[in-house]
Amino acid sequence: LRIEVTGPIAFVAGAAIDDAGRGVAVDPKQLREPTVSLTTDWETFAMLCCGRVDPASVADRLTLTGPADLAERLPAAISIAP
């Protein structure tokens, strides 16, 4: 997984599944070709992570790559709010 956020607080983050089947943070430079990636602006990323917006309503602000069945689930899955 590769997430790129643009804007005033820009960053690139990476994650992978370890041998135990758990998600772990990785240096995005180590991801040769991530299975799924998301690129968006800071405001949209923050709203998605906080569960403050329906991913479908900001779809025009998201760039998703990878298999559609996985990529389409990512925006909702990054919310840390129940």
Side-chain angles (χ1 to χ4, degrees):
L1 165 68
R2 180 180 187 277
I3 296 176
E4 180 174 353
V5 175
T6 62
I9 305 175
F11 65 89
V12 178
I17 305 298
D18 67 11
D19 293 336
R22 303 184 87 178
V24 294
V26 297
D27 181 345
K29 294 175 187 171
Q30 293 177 341
L31 297 172
R32 290 184 301 256
E33 190 171 323
T35 304
V36 178
S37 68
L38 164 72
T39 302
T40 191
D41 62 273
W42 167 249
E43 180 183 11
T44 303
F45 179 74
M47 290 189 302
L48 286 170
C49 288
C50 295
R52 298 290 184 195
V53 66
D54 176 10
S57 69
V58 292
D60 60 327
R61 297 188 209 172
L62 307 174
T63 301
L64 298 164
T65 62
D69 61 324
L70 292 176
E72 291 171 358
R73 294 185 297 178
L74 180 58
I78 63 173
S79 174
I80 58 171

Coordinates of all heavy atoms in Angstrom, one line a residue:
L1 N 0.8 -1.2 0.0 CA 0.0 0.0 0.0 C 0.9 1.2 0.0 O 1.9 1.3 0.7 CB -0.9 0.0 1.2 CG -1.6 1.3 1.6 CD1 -2.6 1.6 0.6 CD2 -2.2 1.2 3.0
R2 N 0.5 2.2 -0.8 CA 1.2 3.5 -0.9 C 0.2 4.6 -0.8 O -0.8 4.6 -1.5 CB 2.0 3.6 -2.2 CG 2.8 4.9 -2.3 CD 3.6 4.9 -3.6 NE 4.4 6.0 -3.8 CZ 4.1 7.2 -4.2 NH1 2.8 7.5 -4.5 NH2 5.0 8.2 -4.3
I3 N 0.4 5.5 0.1 CA -0.5 6.7 0.2 C 0.4 7.9 0.1 O 1.4 8.1 0.7 CB -1.2 6.7 1.6 CG1 -2.1 5.5 1.8 CG2 -1.9 8.0 1.8 CD1 -2.8 5.4 3.1
E4 N 0.0 8.8 -0.9 CA 0.6 10.0 -1.1 C -0.4 11.2 -0.8 O -1.4 11.2 -1.4 CB 1.2 10.2 -2.5 CG 1.9 11.5 -2.8 CD 2.5 11.5 -4.2 OE1 2.5 10.5 -4.9 OE2 3.0 12.6 -4.5
V5 N 0.0 12.1 0.1 CA -0.8 13.2 0.4 C -0.1 14.5 0.0 O 1.1 14.6 0.2 CB -1.1 13.2 1.9 CG1 -1.8 14.5 2.3 CG2 -1.8 12.0 2.4
T6 N -0.8 15.3 -0.7 CA -0.3 16.6 -1.2 C -0.8 17.8 -0.4 O -1.7 17.6 0.3 CB -0.6 16.8 -2.7 OG1 -2.1 16.9 -2.8 CG2 -0.1 15.6 -3.6
G7 N -0.2 18.9 -0.6 CA -0.6 20.1 0.1 C 0.3 20.6 1.2 O 1.5 20.2 1.2
P8 N -0.2 21.3 2.1 CA 0.7 21.9 3.1 C 1.4 20.9 4.1 O 2.5 21.2 4.6 CB -0.2 22.8 4.0 CG -1.6 22.4 3.7 CD -1.6 21.7 2.3
I9 N 0.8 19.8 4.2 CA 1.4 18.7 5.1 C 1.6 17.5 4.1 O 0.9 16.5 4.3 CB 0.6 18.4 6.3 CG1 0.4 19.7 7.1 CG2 1.3 17.4 7.2 CD1 -0.5 19.5 8.3
A10 N 2.4 17.6 3.2 CA 2.6 16.5 2.2 C 3.5 15.4 2.8 O 4.4 15.6 3.5 CB 3.2 17.1 0.9
F11 N 3.2 14.2 2.4 CA 4.0 13.0 2.8 C 3.6 11.8 1.9 O 2.6 11.8 1.2 CB 3.8 12.7 4.3 CG 2.4 12.2 4.6 CD1 2.1 10.9 4.5 CD2 1.5 13.1 5.0 CE1 0.8 10.4 4.9 CE2 0.2 12.7 5.4 CZ -0.2 11.3 5.3
V12 N 4.5 10.8 1.9 CA 4.3 9.6 1.3 C 4.5 8.5 2.4 O 5.5 8.5 3.1 CB 5.2 9.3 0.1 CG1 5.0 8.0 -0.5 CG2 5.1 10.4 -0.9
A13 N 3.5 7.6 2.5 CA 3.6 6.5 3.5 C 3.4 5.2 2.8 O 2.8 5.1 1.7 CB 2.5 6.7 4.5
G14 N 4.0 4.2 3.4 CA 3.9 2.8 2.8 C 3.5 1.8 3.9 O 3.8 2.0 5.1
A15 N 2.8 0.8 3.5 CA 2.5 -0.3 4.4 C 2.5 -1.6 3.7 O 2.4 -1.7 2.5 CB 1.1 -0.1 5.0
A16 N 2.8 -2.7 4.4 CA 2.8 -4.0 3.8 C 2.3 -5.0 4.8 O 2.1 -4.7 6.0 CB 4.3 -4.4 3.4
I17 N 2.1 -6.2 4.4 CA 1.7 -7.3 5.3 C 3.0 -8.1 5.6 O 3.7 -8.6 4.7 CB 0.7 -8.2 4.6 CG1 -0.5 -7.4 4.1 CG2 0.2 -9.4 5.5 CD1 -1.3 -6.7 5.2
D18 N 3.2 -8.4 6.9 CA 4.4 -9.1 7.3 C 4.1 -10.6 7.3 O 3.0 -11.0 7.0 CB 4.9 -8.7 8.7 CG 4.0 -9.0 9.9 OD1 3.0 -9.7 9.7 OD2 4.3 -8.5 11.0
D19 N 5.1 -11.4 7.7 CA 5.0 -12.9 7.7 C 3.9 -13.4 8.6 O 3.3 -14.5 8.4 CB 6.3 -13.6 8.0 CG 7.3 -13.3 6.9 OD1 7.0 -13.0 5.8 OD2 8.5 -13.4 7.2
A20 N 3.5 -12.6 9.6 CA 2.5 -13.0 10.6 C 1.1 -12.6 10.1 O 0.1 -12.8 10.8 CB 2.8 -12.5 11.9
G21 N 1.0 -11.9 8.9 CA -0.2 -11.5 8.4 C -0.7 -10.1 9.0 O -1.9 -9.8 8.8
R22 N 0.2 -9.4 9.6 CA -0.2 -8.1 10.2 C 0.4 -7.0 9.3 O 1.4 -7.1 8.7 CB 0.4 -8.0 11.6 CG 0.0 -9.2 12.5 CD 0.5 -9.0 13.8 NE -0.5 -8.2 14.5 CZ -0.5 -7.8 15.8 NH1 0.6 -8.2 16.5 NH2 -1.4 -7.1 16.3
G23 N -0.4 -5.9 9.3 CA 0.1 -4.7 8.6 C 1.2 -4.0 9.3 O 1.2 -3.9 10.6
V24 N 2.2 -3.6 8.6 CA 3.4 -2.9 9.2 C 3.7 -1.7 8.3 O 3.6 -1.8 7.1 CB 4.6 -3.8 9.3 CG1 4.3 -4.9 10.3 CG2 5.0 -4.4 8.0
A25 N 4.2 -0.6 8.9 CA 4.7 0.5 8.1 C 6.0 0.1 7.5 O 6.9 -0.5 8.1 CB 4.9 1.7 9.1
V26 N 6.2 0.6 6.3 CA 7.4 0.4 5.5 C 7.8 1.7 4.9 O 7.0 2.5 4.6 CB 7.3 -0.8 4.5 CG1 7.1 -2.1 5.1 CG2 6.3 -0.4 3.4
D27 N 9.1 1.8 4.6 CA 9.6 2.9 3.8 C 9.0 2.9 2.4 O 9.2 1.8 1.7 CB 11.1 2.9 3.8 CG 11.7 4.0 3.0 OD1 11.0 4.8 2.3 OD2 13.0 4.2 3.1
P28 N 8.3 3.9 2.0 CA 7.6 3.8 0.6 C 8.6 3.6 -0.5 O 8.3 3.1 -1.5 CB 6.9 5.1 0.5 CG 7.3 6.0 1.6 CD 8.0 5.1 2.7
K29 N 9.9 3.9 -0.3 CA 10.9 3.7 -1.3 C 11.2 2.2 -1.5 O 11.7 1.8 -2.5 CB 12.2 4.4 -0.9 CG 12.1 5.9 -0.9 CD 13.3 6.6 -0.4 CE 13.1 8.1 -0.3 NZ 14.2 8.8 0.4
Q30 N 10.8 1.4 -0.5 CA 11.0 0.0 -0.6 C 9.9 -0.7 -1.4 O 10.0 -1.9 -1.7 CB 11.1 -0.7 0.8 CG 12.3 -0.2 1.6 CD 12.3 -0.8 3.0 OE1 11.3 -1.3 3.5 NE2 13.5 -0.8 3.6
L31 N 8.8 0.0 -1.6 CA 7.7 -0.6 -2.4 C 8.0 -0.4 -3.9 O 7.8 0.6 -4.4 CB 6.4 0.1 -2.0 CG 6.0 0.0 -0.6 CD1 4.8 0.9 -0.3 CD2 5.6 -1.4 -0.2
R32 N 8.5 -1.5 -4.4 CA 8.8 -1.4 -5.9 C 7.5 -1.1 -6.7 O 7.5 -0.3 -7.5 CB 9.4 -2.8 -6.3 CG 10.8 -3.0 -5.8 CD 11.3 -4.2 -6.4 NE 10.5 -5.4 -6.0 CZ 10.8 -6.3 -5.1 NH1 11.9 -6.2 -4.4 NH2 9.9 -7.3 -4.9
E33 N 6.5 -1.9 -6.4 CA 5.2 -1.7 -7.1 C 4.1 -2.0 -6.2 O 3.7 -3.2 -6.0 CB 5.1 -2.5 -8.4 CG 3.9 -2.2 -9.2 CD 4.0 -2.9 -10.6 OE1 5.1 -3.1 -11.1 OE2 2.9 -3.3 -11.0
P34 N 3.5 -1.0 -5.4 CA 2.5 -1.4 -4.5 C 1.3 -2.0 -5.1 O 0.9 -1.6 -6.3 CB 2.2 0.0 -3.8 CG 2.6 1.0 -4.8 CD 3.8 0.4 -5.6
T35 N 0.6 -2.9 -4.4 CA -0.6 -3.5 -4.9 C -1.7 -2.4 -5.1 O -2.4 -2.4 -6.1 CB -1.1 -4.6 -4.0 OG1 -0.1 -5.5 -3.8 CG2 -2.3 -5.3 -4.5
V36 N -1.8 -1.5 -4.1 CA -2.8 -0.4 -4.2 C -2.2 0.9 -3.8 O -1.3 0.9 -2.9 CB -4.0 -0.8 -3.2 CG1 -5.0 0.3 -3.2 CG2 -4.7 -2.1 -3.5
S37 N -2.6 1.9 -4.4 CA -2.1 3.3 -4.0 C -3.2 4.3 -4.0 O -4.2 4.1 -4.7 CB -1.0 3.7 -4.9 OG -1.4 4.0 -6.2
L38 N -3.1 5.3 -3.1 CA -4.1 6.3 -3.0 C -3.3 7.7 -3.0 O -2.3 7.8 -2.3 CB -4.8 6.2 -1.7 CG -5.6 7.4 -1.2 CD1 -6.8 7.7 -2.1 CD2 -6.0 7.3 0.2
T39 N -3.7 8.6 -3.8 CA -3.2 9.9 -3.8 C -4.3 10.9 -3.6 O -5.3 10.8 -4.3 CB -2.4 10.3 -5.1 OG1 -1.4 9.3 -5.3 CG2 -1.8 11.6 -5.1
T40 N -4.1 11.9 -2.7 CA -5.2 12.9 -2.4 C -4.5 14.1 -1.8 O -3.4 14.0 -1.4 CB -6.3 12.3 -1.6 OG1 -7.4 13.2 -1.6 CG2 -5.9 12.0 -0.2
D41 N -5.3 15.1 -1.6 CA -4.8 16.3 -0.9 C -5.0 16.1 0.6 O -5.7 15.2 1.1 CB -5.6 17.6 -1.4 CG -7.1 17.4 -1.1 OD1 -7.8 16.9 -1.9 OD2 -7.5 17.9 0.0
W42 N -4.3 17.0 1.4 CA -4.3 16.9 2.8 C -5.7 17.0 3.5 O -6.0 16.2 4.3 CB -3.3 18.0 3.4 CG -3.5 18.1 4.9 CD1 -4.1 19.1 5.6 CD2 -3.2 17.1 5.9 NE1 -4.1 18.8 6.9 CE2 -3.6 17.6 7.1 CE3 -2.6 15.9 5.8 CZ2 -3.4 16.9 8.3 CZ3 -2.4 15.1 7.0 CH2 -2.8 15.7 8.2
E43 N -6.4 17.9 3.0 CA -7.8 18.1 3.6 C -8.7 16.9 3.4 O -9.3 16.4 4.4 CB -8.5 19.3 3.0 CG -9.9 19.6 3.5 CD -10.6 20.7 2.9 OE1 -10.1 21.3 1.8 OE2 -11.6 21.2 3.4
T44 N -8.7 16.3 2.2 CA -9.5 15.1 2.0 C -9.0 14.0 2.8 O -9.7 13.2 3.4 CB -9.4 14.8 0.5 OG1 -9.9 16.0 -0.2 CG2 -10.3 13.6 0.2
F45 N -7.6 13.8 2.9 CA -7.1 12.7 3.6 C -7.5 12.8 5.1 O -7.9 11.8 5.7 CB -5.5 12.7 3.5 CG -4.9 11.6 4.3 CD1 -4.9 10.3 3.9 CD2 -4.2 11.9 5.5 CE1 -4.3 9.3 4.6 CE2 -3.6 10.9 6.2 CZ -3.6 9.6 5.8
A46 N -7.4 14.0 5.7 CA -7.7 14.2 7.1 C -9.2 13.9 7.3 O -9.6 13.2 8.3 CB -7.4 15.6 7.5
M47 N -10.1 14.3 6.4 CA -11.5 14.1 6.6 C -11.8 12.6 6.4 O -12.6 12.0 7.2 CB -12.3 14.9 5.5 CG -12.3 16.3 5.8 SD -13.5 17.3 4.8 CE -12.9 16.9 3.1
L48 N -11.1 11.9 5.5 CA -11.3 10.4 5.4 C -10.9 9.7 6.6 O -11.6 8.8 7.1 CB -10.6 9.9 4.2 CG -11.1 10.2 2.8 CD1 -10.1 9.8 1.7 CD2 -12.5 9.5 2.6
C49 N -9.7 10.0 7.1 CA -9.2 9.4 8.3 C -10.0 9.6 9.6 O -10.1 8.7 10.4 CB -7.7 9.8 8.6 SG -6.6 9.2 7.4
C50 N -10.7 10.7 9.6 CA -11.5 11.0 10.8 C -12.9 10.6 10.6 O -13.8 10.9 11.5 CB -11.4 12.5 11.1 SG -9.8 13.1 11.6
G51 N -13.3 10.0 9.5 CA -14.6 9.6 9.3 C -15.6 10.7 9.1 O -16.8 10.6 9.3
R52 N -15.1 11.9 8.6 CA -15.9 13.1 8.5 C -16.6 13.3 7.1 O -17.3 14.2 6.9 CB -15.1 14.3 8.9 CG -14.6 14.4 10.3 CD -15.8 14.5 11.2 NE -15.3 14.7 12.6 CZ -16.1 14.5 13.6 NH1 -17.3 14.3 13.4 NH2 -15.5 14.6 14.8
V53 N -16.3 12.4 6.2 CA -16.8 12.5 4.9 C -17.0 11.1 4.3 O -16.3 10.2 4.6 CB -15.8 13.3 4.0 CG1 -14.5 12.6 3.8 CG2 -16.4 13.7 2.7
D54 N -18.1 11.0 3.5 CA -18.4 9.8 2.8 C -17.4 9.7 1.6 O -17.3 10.6 0.8 CB -19.8 9.8 2.3 CG -20.2 8.6 1.4 OD1 -19.4 7.6 1.4 OD2 -21.3 8.6 0.8
P55 N -16.6 8.6 1.5 CA -15.6 8.5 0.4 C -16.2 8.7 -1.0 O -15.6 9.3 -1.8 CB -15.1 7.1 0.6 CG -15.3 6.8 2.0 CD -16.5 7.5 2.4
A56 N -17.4 8.4 -1.2 CA -18.1 8.5 -2.5 C -18.2 10.0 -2.8 O -18.2 10.4 -4.0 CB -19.4 7.8 -2.5
S57 N -18.4 10.9 -1.8 CA -18.6 12.3 -2.1 C -17.3 13.0 -2.4 O -17.4 14.2 -2.9 CB -19.3 13.0 -0.8 OG -18.4 13.0 0.2
V58 N -16.2 12.4 -2.2 CA -14.9 13.0 -2.5 C -14.1 12.2 -3.6 O -12.9 12.4 -3.7 CB -14.0 13.3 -1.3 CG1 -14.7 14.3 -0.4 CG2 -13.8 12.0 -0.5
A59 N -14.8 11.3 -4.2 CA -14.1 10.4 -5.2 C -13.4 11.2 -6.3 O -12.3 10.8 -6.7 CB -15.2 9.5 -5.9
D60 N -13.9 12.4 -6.6 CA -13.2 13.2 -7.6 C -11.8 13.8 -7.1 O -11.0 14.3 -7.9 CB -14.1 14.4 -8.1 CG -14.5 15.3 -7.0 OD1 -14.7 14.9 -5.8 OD2 -14.6 16.5 -7.3
R61 N -11.6 13.7 -5.8 CA -10.3 14.2 -5.2 C -9.3 13.1 -4.9 O -8.3 13.3 -4.4 CB -10.6 14.9 -3.9 CG -11.5 16.1 -4.0 CD -11.5 16.8 -2.7 NE -12.7 17.5 -2.4 CZ -13.0 18.1 -1.3 NH1 -12.2 18.0 -0.3 NH2 -14.1 18.8 -1.2
L62 N -9.7 11.8 -5.3 CA -8.9 10.7 -5.0 C -8.4 10.1 -6.3 O -9.1 10.0 -7.3 CB -9.7 9.6 -4.3 CG -10.5 10.0 -3.1 CD1 -11.3 8.8 -2.6 CD2 -9.5 10.5 -2.0
T63 N -7.1 9.7 -6.3 CA -6.5 8.9 -7.4 C -6.2 7.5 -6.8 O -5.4 7.5 -5.9 CB -5.3 9.6 -8.0 OG1 -5.6 10.9 -8.4 CG2 -4.7 8.7 -9.1
L64 N -6.8 6.5 -7.3 CA -6.6 5.1 -6.8 C -6.1 4.3 -7.9 O -6.5 4.4 -9.1 CB -8.0 4.5 -6.3 CG -8.6 5.3 -5.2 CD1 -10.1 4.8 -5.1 CD2 -7.9 5.0 -3.9
T65 N -5.1 3.5 -7.6 CA -4.5 2.5 -8.6 C -4.5 1.1 -7.9 O -4.5 1.0 -6.7 CB -3.1 2.9 -9.0 OG1 -2.3 2.9 -7.9 CG2 -3.1 4.3 -9.6
G66 N -4.5 0.2 -8.8 CA -4.5 -1.2 -8.3 C -5.8 -1.9 -8.7 O -6.7 -1.3 -9.3
P67 N -5.9 -3.2 -8.3 CA -7.1 -3.9 -8.6 C -8.4 -3.2 -8.0 O -8.4 -2.8 -6.8 CB -6.9 -5.3 -7.8 CG -5.5 -5.4 -7.6 CD -5.0 -4.0 -7.5
A68 N -9.4 -3.0 -8.8 CA -10.6 -2.2 -8.4 C -11.2 -2.7 -7.1 O -11.6 -1.9 -6.3 CB -11.6 -2.2 -9.6
D69 N -11.3 -4.1 -7.0 CA -11.9 -4.6 -5.8 C -11.2 -4.2 -4.5 O -11.8 -4.0 -3.4 CB -12.1 -6.1 -5.8 CG -10.8 -6.8 -5.9 OD1 -9.8 -6.3 -6.6 OD2 -10.6 -7.9 -5.3
L70 N -9.9 -4.0 -4.5 CA -9.2 -3.5 -3.4 C -9.1 -2.0 -3.3 O -9.4 -1.4 -2.2 CB -7.7 -4.0 -3.4 CG -7.5 -5.5 -3.3 CD1 -6.0 -5.9 -3.4 CD2 -8.0 -6.0 -1.9
A71 N -8.8 -1.4 -4.4 CA -8.7 0.1 -4.4 C -9.9 0.8 -4.0 O -9.9 1.8 -3.3 CB -8.2 0.6 -5.8
E72 N -11.1 0.3 -4.4 CA -12.4 1.0 -4.1 C -12.7 0.9 -2.6 O -13.4 1.7 -2.1 CB -13.5 0.4 -4.9 CG -13.3 0.8 -6.4 CD -14.3 0.0 -7.3 OE1 -15.1 -0.8 -6.8 OE2 -14.3 0.3 -8.5
R73 N -12.1 -0.1 -1.9 CA -12.4 -0.2 -0.5 C -11.5 0.6 0.4 O -11.7 0.9 1.6 CB -12.3 -1.7 0.0 CG -13.3 -2.6 -0.7 CD -13.3 -4.0 -0.1 NE -12.0 -4.6 -0.5 CZ -11.7 -5.8 -0.1 NH1 -12.5 -6.5 0.6 NH2 -10.5 -6.3 -0.5
L74 N -10.3 1.1 -0.1 CA -9.3 1.8 0.6 C -9.8 3.1 1.3 O -9.6 3.3 2.5 CB -8.1 2.0 -0.2 CG -6.9 2.7 0.5 CD1 -6.5 2.0 1.7 CD2 -5.8 2.9 -0.5
P75 N -10.5 4.0 0.6 CA -10.9 5.2 1.2 C -11.7 5.0 2.5 O -11.5 5.7 3.4 CB -11.7 6.0 0.1 CG -11.1 5.4 -1.2 CD -10.8 4.0 -0.9
A76 N -12.6 4.1 2.5 CA -13.4 3.9 3.7 C -12.6 3.1 4.8 O -12.8 3.3 6.0 CB -14.7 3.0 3.3
A77 N -11.6 2.3 4.3 CA -10.9 1.5 5.3 C -9.9 2.3 6.1 O -9.4 1.9 7.1 CB -10.2 0.4 4.6
I78 N -9.5 3.5 5.6 CA -8.5 4.3 6.4 C -9.0 5.1 7.5 O -8.3 5.7 8.2 CB -7.6 5.2 5.4 CG1 -8.4 6.2 4.7 CG2 -6.8 4.3 4.4 CD1 -7.6 7.2 3.9
S79 N -10.3 5.1 7.6 CA -11.0 5.9 8.7 C -10.6 5.2 10.1 O -10.7 4.0 10.3 CB -12.5 5.9 8.6 OG -13.1 6.5 9.7
I80 N -10.2 6.1 11.0 CA -9.9 5.5 12.3 C -11.1 5.7 13.3 O -11.0 5.3 14.4 CB -8.6 6.2 12.9 CG1 -8.8 7.7 13.0 CG2 -7.4 5.8 12.1 CD1 -7.7 8.4 13.8
A81 N -12.1 6.4 12.8 CA -13.3 6.6 13.6 C -14.3 5.5 13.4 O -14.4 5.0 12.3 CB -14.0 7.9 13.2
P82 N -14.9 5.0 14.5 CA -15.9 3.9 14.3 C -17.1 4.3 13.5 O -17.4 5.4 13.3 CB -16.3 3.6 15.7 CG -15.8 4.7 16.6 CD -14.8 5.5 15.8

